[in-house]
Amino acid sequence: AQSVTQLDSQVPVFEEAPVELRCNYSSSVSVYLFWYVQYPNQGLQLLLKYLSGSTLVKGINGFEAEFNKSQTSFHLRKPSVHISDTAEYFCAVTVTGSARQLTFGSGTQLTVLP
Amino acid sequence: DAGVIQSPRHEVTEMGQEVTLRCKPISGHNSLFWYRQTMMRGLELLIYFNNNVPIDDSGMPEDRFSAKMPNASFSTLKIQPSEPRDSAVYFCASSLPRTGGETQYFGPGTRLLVL
């Protein structure tokens, strides 16, 4: 079975500063990796995903993530955050092949301060 | 595209009552997922359907929970009888599997409070 660890439950950062949200996964087989964002009182929205190919993945709203197989990580980054980026961010994994279930991390609350 | 539709958006009920949550997936999607989100346990997959057939219900907490998908455009999650510990946000998501790694599209959720 696979698992996801998000090391930081809360990340406060000032507006226009860079941010990195950390995600590590555990799996004995190949995986696909995802980052979702959840704004208050809303459902989850896909930010980006890694399926194969280039390890640097660009997503919506200026976010990007880098897949590092040796370190089993998929950290999310943004060079300059805005107040509107305040939300909860979830890393998720699914095994390649026929399985479709997503296993989510516990989430990281990003709070952008003025 | 209307996205995944869930109803009701909020539900307050008393312990012991039956609760039915509803979901309409995106048209053309043939996989549907029910998740529960709580502060203590985070996001948990309860059950998922492929082509209206339940594939994995190992996440359903107990017999009080049941889910159905009578057709490609409608699914229900029922809790009978409800208990205060069932209070959570319940999300429905749908996807169109092709080769793997398909995006799941989430509905806005149903916020359930059991008193």
Side-chain angles (χ1 to χ4, degrees):
Chain A
Q2 62 274 14
S3 65
V4 178
T5 302
Q6 292 184 244
L7 298 166
D8 307 300
S9 60
Q10 307 236 6
V11 174
V13 63
F14 287 105
E15 193 172 18
E16 298 184 5
V19 71
E20 177 180 83
L21 306 184
R22 296 182 292 171
C23 172
N24 286 87
Y25 69 93
S26 174
S27 177
S28 57
V29 297
S30 296
V31 297
Y32 296 137
L33 294 154
F34 305 77
W35 275 100
Y36 279 84
V37 59
Q38 184 179 28
Y39 298 103
N41 299 315
Q42 294 186 27
L44 280 72
Q45 178 185 358
L46 182 71
L47 271 179
L48 50 79
K49 61 183 178 182
Y50 172 79
L51 305 183
S52 64
S54 174
T55 57
L56 183 62
V57 181
K58 295 189 183 297
I60 61 171
N61 301 340
F63 284 92
E64 64 181 32
E66 186 154 20
F67 170 58
N68 188 319
K69 187 174 182 179
S70 62
Q71 298 189 4
T72 60
S73 68
F74 191 55
H75 301 331
L76 182 70
R77 302 186 184 100
K78 186 170 183 178
S80 175
V81 294
H82 303 290
I83 296 287
S84 59
D85 292 322
T86 294
E88 186 141 26
Y89 292 79
F90 292 92
C91 183
V93 64
T94 186
V95 297
T96 60
S98 61
R100 306 298 182 197
Q101 302 96 312
L102 283 174
T103 300
F104 285 90
S106 54
T108 297
Q109 174 64 44
L110 173 65
T111 302
V112 181
L113 307 167
Chain B
D1 185 352
V4 176
I5 299 173
Q6 291 187 247
S7 64
R9 291 294 308 276
H10 302 272
E11 177 81 32
V12 181
T13 190
E14 293 187 345
M15 183 174 63
Q17 296 299 305
E18 178 180 295
V19 175
T20 299
L21 311 182
R22 296 173 176 81
C23 175
K24 177 178 169 58
I26 292 173
S27 177
H29 284 191
N30 62 353
S31 285
L32 183 139
F33 307 80
W34 282 101
Y35 291 90
R36 179 173 66 176
Q37 185 179 37
T38 61
M39 289 292 293
M40 293 298 295
R41 301 176 67 89
L43 269 163
E44 305 172 277
L45 176 67
L46 300 177
I47 185 172
Y48 88 95
F49 295 84
N50 193 42
N51 293 322
N52 312 337
V53 176
I55 302 300
D56 184 355
D57 65 355
S58 59
M60 296 286 263
E62 48 196 273
D63 292 345
R64 298 184 297 108
F65 285 69
S66 62
K68 294 183 180 180
M69 192 165 185
N71 57 62
S73 59
F74 184 65
S75 177
T76 59
L77 178 67
K78 187 175 294 186
I79 308 173
Q80 167 63 15
S82 58
E83 297 183 3
R85 61 193 168 119
D86 301 331
S87 298
V89 182
Y90 291 81
F91 289 104
C92 176
S94 70
S95 72
L96 179 60
R98 290 193 178 92
T99 58
E102 295 80 16
T103 300
Q104 290 185 20
Y105 294 86
F106 283 74
T110 295
R111 192 172 296 271
L112 173 65
L113 178 61
V114 183
L115 302 173

